[in-house]
């Protein structure tokens, strides 16, 4: 049973730090965990494209009224890849690797938190499946459309 303790420590303490560093695009050796640097084999990943500043999304209260069917259809013309399934905006993103998918999710998490609006999503390897709805309003609102647009920008 002694062999499990070091593994559990790595799994609970070191691995989340590694994944966070990769998702945030930190360069090899730039993460200082308990006064030692990560080895140079860790390739940097740019999780947030430089042309998409996070300051674009403001944490301002938005109208939470459910959009009409016509308004949703109009919004879909500006949301490539999105559709409506089960009363929610729906899209599946596909990336070249798990690390890119995880980086995308980390980037979206920062934006979603700043908006006070959080997606329903599911990740398997290089795919991220997203459903957006405003639960408090009981359907799709402008807030969902705004987050969907930001997700499309971050996925580019």
């Amino acid at each position: 049973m002694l062999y499990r303790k070091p593994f559990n420590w790595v799994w609970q303490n070191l691995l989340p730090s590694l994944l966070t560093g990769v998702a945030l695009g930190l360069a090899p050796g730039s993460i200082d965990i308990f006064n030692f640097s990560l080895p140079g084999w860790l390739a940097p990943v740019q999780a947030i494209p430089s042309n998409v500043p996070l300051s674009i999304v403001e944490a301002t209260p938005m109208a939470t009224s459910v959009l009409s069917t016509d308004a949703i259809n109009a919004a879909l013309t500006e949301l490539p890849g999105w559709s409506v399934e089960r009363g929610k905006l729906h899209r599946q993103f596909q990336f070249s690797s798990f690390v890119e998918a995880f980086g995308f999710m980390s980037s979206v998490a920062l934006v979603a938190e700043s908006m006070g609006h959080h997606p329903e999503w599911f990740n398997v390897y290089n795919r991220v499946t997203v459903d957006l709805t405003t639960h408090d309003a009981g359907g799709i609102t402008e807030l969902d459309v705004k987050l969907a647009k930001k997700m499309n920008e971050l996925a580019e």
Side-chain angles (χ1 to χ4, degrees):
M1 284 298 184
L2 291 177
Y3 68 90
R4 296 183 87 182
K5 284 190 176 188
F7 178 75
N8 285 341
W9 180 88
V10 167
W11 185 255
Q12 293 171 356
N13 297 291
L14 186 59
L15 188 59
S17 297
L18 281 169
L19 291 176
T20 301
V22 169
L24 294 177
L26 299 175
S30 66
I31 305 170
D32 186 26
I33 303 170
F34 305 116
N35 296 321
F36 68 90
S37 295
L38 294 174
W41 52 262
L42 182 63
V45 174
Q46 184 176 357
I48 303 172
S50 59
N51 63 341
V52 183
L54 289 177
S55 61
I56 288 176
V57 179
E58 300 170 5
T60 56
M62 300 196 70
T64 55
S65 58
V66 176
L67 296 176
S68 68
T69 302
D70 290 339
I72 292 170
N73 289 334
L76 286 173
T77 63
E78 299 176 16
L79 293 171
W82 290 86
S83 62
V84 175
E85 290 187 16
R86 297 177 314 279
K88 301 173 184 180
L89 285 180
H90 176 83
R91 178 164 181 194
Q92 182 172 327
F93 294 91
Q94 187 155 346
F95 302 91
S96 62
S97 68
F98 171 74
V99 172
E100 284 188 26
F102 189 91
F104 168 76
M105 291 178 74
S106 296
S107 299
V108 170
L110 295 172
V111 171
E113 183 65 21
S114 74
M115 293 174 70
H117 190 56
H118 306 95
E120 296 174 15
W121 55 10
F122 183 73
N123 166 245
V124 175
Y125 181 58
N126 65 342
R127 291 183 322 256
V128 178
T129 305
V130 181
D131 287 308
L132 297 176
T133 187
T134 305
H135 295 283
D136 294 344
I140 299 170
T141 66
E142 190 62 39
L143 195 56
D144 301 303
V145 173
K146 187 174 182 180
L147 183 55
K149 286 179 182 178
K150 290 303 298 177
M151 292 176 106
N152 278 359
E153 289 175 24
L154 291 168
E156 291 177 355

